[in-house]
Amino acid sequence: MATVNDAALIEPAPVPVVFGIPQTPGVRTIMLSIGAAITIAIMAGIWMWSQAPDYRVLFSNFNDRDGGAIVASLQQLNIPYKYSDGGSAILVPANQVHDARLKLASQGLPKGGNVGFELMENQKLGISQFLEQVNFQRALEGELARSIQAVSAVQTARVHLAIPKASVFVREQQKPTASVLLNLYPSRVLDQQQVSAIIHLVASSIPELSAKNVTIVDQNGNLLSDPSKQNANPNLDPTQLKYVQEYQMGVVKKIESIISPIVGAQNVRAEASADIDFSRTEQAAEIYRPNTPPEASSIRSQQTSESYGKPNTASGVPGALSNQPPAPATAPLTTPANAASGAATSAASAPALTQKDATVNYEVDKTIKYTQQGMGGLKRLSVAVVVNYKSEVDKNGKTTTRPLTDIEKNQITDLAREAMGFSKERGDTLNVVNTPFAAPEKVVSEDIPLWKQADVIQTAKEFGKYLIGLLAMFYIFKNYLKPTLNKITGKDQEKTAEEKKKEEEEKIALEKAQQEADDEEGAIVELEGQVDAQGHKQLSTYEINLDMAKQLAATDPKIVANVIKTWVSNE
C-alpha cells in the first residue's frame, strides 16, 4: 500500500471571492469595519432626523431688498434658516421665531418696501433733472407712508403724489393732489378724527396742497375722506361723545351693581340716556333796587336854603354884586345845638320868612352779578331697568319663577333712583319693568374628537418621529451592527461553540427525558394489564354465582323464598 505523503495530495480549500475581492481574514475584517461604520452613520442620520427642529414662518411676502437684509442679519445672529417652497417665506426653528422677530425689529427689518430719503444718497453722477425729480417724489411718498404707518390701526400704507410742473404763468398753475391707500389691521377701523389727522398730515407735508385735495381709501375700497362725512356736523366733538358714553355707562354700572346682589348678576339689565349741555354760558347783570322808606334809607347828603326879608323891600348893595346869583348852599348832615339856638334867636328879630329850599340825597341800592356756567352740565337723565322674575326652590327641590311683589319692585325702584341721582326738577325719568327673561339659545358646540385636535396631532407627530427613530436604530443595531461587531471581535465563533455545547446538552437531556417517558409508559401499560386481569377474574366469579342462584331458584324455590324473607326481616 503506497504511503506517499497524503497531505501533499489534499488540495487547500478555495478562498471565497466577493465583488472580485478575495475574502482573506484581513480583507474580511476591513470590510466588516467599513460596514459597521456605514451602519453607525445610518443610525446617526436617523437620530439627527428625529431630533431635527420644526421650522416656522418668520416673514413672508417681502421684497428682495428686505429679504437680503433679513438673511444677512440671521447669519450674523447665528440663527439657522431655510426657504419655503417657492422662496416666498423665510423659515426658522419654531423655538426661535419670536426671538428672531424682536431682534430684527430692533434693526428696523423688514422695512416694508417703502424707500425714504435714503434713496437720495445713491444718486449717480450725471443723472438728469427729471430722474432727480422722480427720485425726490418717491422719497417723499415713502417718508409719508412711514409716518402714516405709525398710526396704531394702520398696517401698511401707500402714498401717491401728483405734483404738477411749476409754471411762470399764474393761470396755468395747478394745485398738487395726493392719494393714500391704507391697509388696516383686522377688526380695526379709523374714526373720523384719525382720518382728518392723516389728511392734514399729508396736506402739511406738500407745499400748496390743500386738505380737500387729499383722498384716503382703505383696503376694501371705502372712501374715508368723504367731505359729506366731515362736514355733516362740524360742531360734533368725539371727545364729547366719549364723555356722554362714559357717563351713561357709569350710571348703568351703578344701578346694576346695587341691584345685582338682590336679584342676581344675570337677572338685571339697565340702560341710560343722558342729555348733557356742552354750551358755555356767561352772564353779567347790574340791578337797581327801589328805594326803601326814608327812615330806613341811608342819606348821602342834605342841603337847606332859607331867605328872610321884608316884602317889597329892596335890599342889598347896589351894584354888580346884587345882580349875581347866590352861591350854592351847603348844609351839614347835623347842626350843632348852639348854632340852632342862635338861629332861633335871630329869627325872632329877623324880618318875615319869604323863601325856604331843602334838598336831601339818599343812597341807591345796586347789585352787580357775574355768572359763568361750565360745559358738561346734565340737563336730563332717562334710565330704563329690566328685572327678571325671581327664582325660588320649593321643598321638593324644584325651581320655580314668580314675579316680584309690589314691595320688592318699589325697593328696587328706590335703589335705582338713588343710584342714578334722580332729580324731579331736572325732569329725570325712571322706568322699572319686571318680566321673565328669554332663555339664551343653547349653542351646540361640536366636540372635536381627540385624534382630530391640532395639539394632539402635533404631539403625536413629535412622539411618532422619536419612536420611529428609536425603532429603526434598534432594528439596525440588532440585525446589522451587533452581528458585524461580533464577527470583527470573534465573539460569533465563541458563541457558536457555546451554542453547539448547549445543543448537545439539550439533546442528551431530551434523550434522557424520552427514555424516562418510555419507561413510565411501559409501567403504565403493565399496570393496566394487571388491572384488566383482576377485573376479568372478578367478573367470572360473579357470573358463576349468578348461574348457581338461577339453578337453585328453578329446583327449589322455597329455599330462595326463605332467604329473601330472612333479608327482609333483618332489614
Side-chain angles (χ1 to χ4, degrees):
M1 194 172 195
T3 60
V4 185
N5 191 1
D6 296 334
L9 299 176
I10 299 174
E11 296 181 359
V15 178
V17 178
V18 179
F19 298 108
I21 302 175
Q23 298 297 309
T24 60
V27 174
R28 188 165 177 264
T29 303
I30 294 174
M31 295 185 66
L32 291 175
S33 301
I34 295 174
I38 294 174
T39 305
I40 294 174
I42 293 173
M43 295 177 63
I46 294 174
W47 175 255
M48 293 177 62
W49 170 79
S50 63
Q51 297 294 326
D54 185 17
Y55 279 79
R56 298 291 178 85
V57 176
L58 178 65
F59 293 112
S60 61
N61 297 326
F62 49 83
N63 56 20
D64 296 340
R65 186 183 185 91
D66 285 344
I70 292 172
V71 170
S73 298
L74 292 176
Q75 292 176 352
Q76 294 178 357
L77 297 173
N78 294 325
I79 298 177
Y81 66 92
K82 65 180 182 179
Y83 301 101
S84 64
D85 296 338
S88 60
I90 297 178
L91 308 178
V92 297
N95 57 350
Q96 298 183 1
V97 171
H98 302 290
D99 189 21
R101 286 179 180 174
L102 292 176
K103 290 181 179 179
L104 293 176
S106 64
Q107 301 177 9
L109 295 174
K111 297 181 180 180
N114 292 329
V115 292
F117 284 115
E118 66 271 9
L119 185 63
M120 307 300 296
E121 298 176 358
N122 301 323
Q123 294 286 348
K124 298 180 180 179
L125 184 62
I127 190 173
S128 63
Q129 184 179 3
F130 174 76
L131 291 179
E132 287 182 352
Q133 184 64 29
V134 171
N135 291 336
F136 174 75
Q137 184 170 336
R138 287 182 56 195
L140 191 58
E141 292 173 351
E143 292 294 336
L144 287 174
R146 291 177 181 177
S147 300
I148 295 173
Q149 289 176 7
V151 181
S152 59
V154 179
Q155 184 176 10
T156 58
R158 294 194 65 183
V159 179
H160 302 279
L161 299 178
I163 303 177
K165 187 177 180 180
S167 177
V168 295
F169 301 101
V170 178
R171 294 181 179 179
E172 296 180 358
Q173 290 181 356
Q174 298 179 1
K175 299 296 182 181
T177 59
S179 301
V180 181
L181 177 62
L182 301 180
N183 186 13
L184 305 179
Y185 284 103
S187 303
R188 300 292 296 273
V189 294
L190 293 176
D191 55 27
Q192 196 59 40
Q193 187 176 5
Q194 291 175 316
V195 174
S196 300
I198 295 175
I199 291 174
H200 287 83
L201 172 66
V202 177
S204 302
S205 303
I206 308 299
E208 299 182 1
L209 177 61
S210 60
K212 64 180 180 180
N213 291 335
V214 179
T215 304
I216 299 180
V217 182
D218 63 1
Q219 73 272 22
N220 297 322
N222 299 323
L223 181 60
L224 303 180
S225 59
D226 190 359
S228 60
K229 295 181 180 180
Q230 298 178 7
N231 300 326
N233 190 356
N235 297 325
L236 189 62
D237 189 356
T239 306
Q240 296 177 358
L241 295 177
K242 184 177 180 180
Y243 175 78
V244 174
Q245 293 176 357
E246 291 178 352
Y247 185 85
Q248 295 176 166
M249 292 176 61
V251 174
V252 170
K253 186 177 180 180
K254 290 179 181 178
I255 295 174
E256 291 183 349
S257 62
I258 198 172
I259 300 178
S260 295
I262 301 176
V263 298
Q266 303 298 328
N267 296 324
V268 59
R269 296 290 186 272
E271 289 294 336
S273 177
D275 185 8
I276 298 179
D277 185 12
F278 290 100
S279 61
R280 186 185 299 273
T281 304
E282 296 181 1
Q283 182 180 3
E286 187 174 352
I287 303 174
Y288 293 91
R289 192 171 55 180
N291 292 332
T292 57
E295 61 271 14
S297 61
S298 299
I299 300 176
R300 176 187 295 178
S301 63
Q302 183 177 3
Q303 183 178 7
T304 304
S305 176
E306 296 180 356
S307 299
Y308 299 92
K310 294 180 180 180
N312 299 325
T313 303
S315 62
V317 179
L321 296 176
S322 60
N323 296 328
Q324 294 179 354
T330 57
L333 293 177
T334 59
T335 305
N338 54 0
S341 61
T345 305
S346 61
S349 60
L353 179 63
T354 59
Q355 185 179 359
K356 183 178 181 180
D357 297 327
T359 303
V360 180
N361 296 323
Y362 297 94
E363 292 288 350
V364 180
D365 292 342
K366 179 181 179 182
T367 302
I368 300 176
K369 184 178 180 181
Y370 183 81
T371 304
Q372 183 176 4
Q373 183 179 358
M375 296 188 302
L378 180 62
K379 297 172 63 177
R380 188 171 178 271
L381 182 62
S382 301
V383 177
V385 182
V386 181
V387 183
N388 193 12
Y389 277 7
K390 190 173 183 180
S391 300
E392 294 181 347
V393 181
D394 55 9
K395 297 180 180 179
N396 299 327
K398 184 179 180 180
T399 303
T400 59
T401 58
R402 64 168 180 84
L404 299 177
T405 62
D406 294 338
I407 297 176
E408 293 174 342
K409 188 174 180 180
N410 292 333
Q411 291 177 351
I412 293 176
T413 303
D414 295 339
L415 290 175
R417 184 180 287 109
E418 295 297 330
M420 64 176 286
F422 184 85
S423 176
K424 186 176 181 180
E425 293 78 8
R426 195 169 54 210
D428 296 347
T429 58
L430 173 63
N431 188 10
V432 179
V433 177
N434 180 222
T435 183
F437 285 5
E441 297 181 359
K442 295 182 180 180
V443 179
V444 180
S445 59
E446 183 179 357
D447 295 334
I448 302 176
L450 186 64
W451 60 87
K452 290 185 179 181
Q453 297 180 4
D455 53 349
V456 176
I457 294 174
Q458 184 65 25
T459 304
K461 288 182 179 180
E462 295 293 335
F463 180 76
K465 182 189 295 185
Y466 291 114
L467 182 60
I468 292 173
L470 292 175
L471 292 177
M473 292 175 62
F474 177 76
Y475 178 80
I476 294 174
F477 175 79
K478 183 71 175 177
N479 297 293
Y480 295 98
L481 182 61
K482 188 176 180 180
T484 303
L485 294 177
N486 291 334
K487 290 180 181 180
I488 295 174
T489 57
K491 290 184 179 180
D492 56 342
Q493 299 178 358
E494 297 177 358
K495 183 178 179 181
T496 303
E498 292 178 357
E499 290 178 352
K500 288 181 179 180
K501 184 178 180 181
K502 187 175 181 180
E503 289 178 357
E504 292 178 356
E505 292 177 354
E506 291 179 352
K507 185 176 181 181
I508 294 172
L510 182 61
E511 291 177 352
K512 184 177 180 181
Q514 185 68 29
Q515 184 65 30
E516 292 177 355
D518 294 341
D519 296 341
E520 290 179 357
E521 185 177 359
I524 292 172
V525 171
E526 182 179 359
L527 180 61
E528 290 178 351
Q530 295 177 359
V531 172
D532 292 340
Q534 185 69 21
H536 180 71
K537 182 178 180 181
Q538 291 178 359
L539 182 60
S540 300
T541 304
Y542 172 76
E543 291 178 352
I544 294 172
N545 291 333
L546 182 60
D547 293 338
M548 290 176 65
K550 289 180 179 180
Q551 292 177 3
L552 181 61
T555 58
D556 194 355
K558 187 176 180 180
I559 295 174
V560 176
N562 291 331
V563 173
I564 295 174
K565 184 178 180 181
T566 302
W567 288 353
V568 173
S569 62
N570 290 334
E571 294 176 357

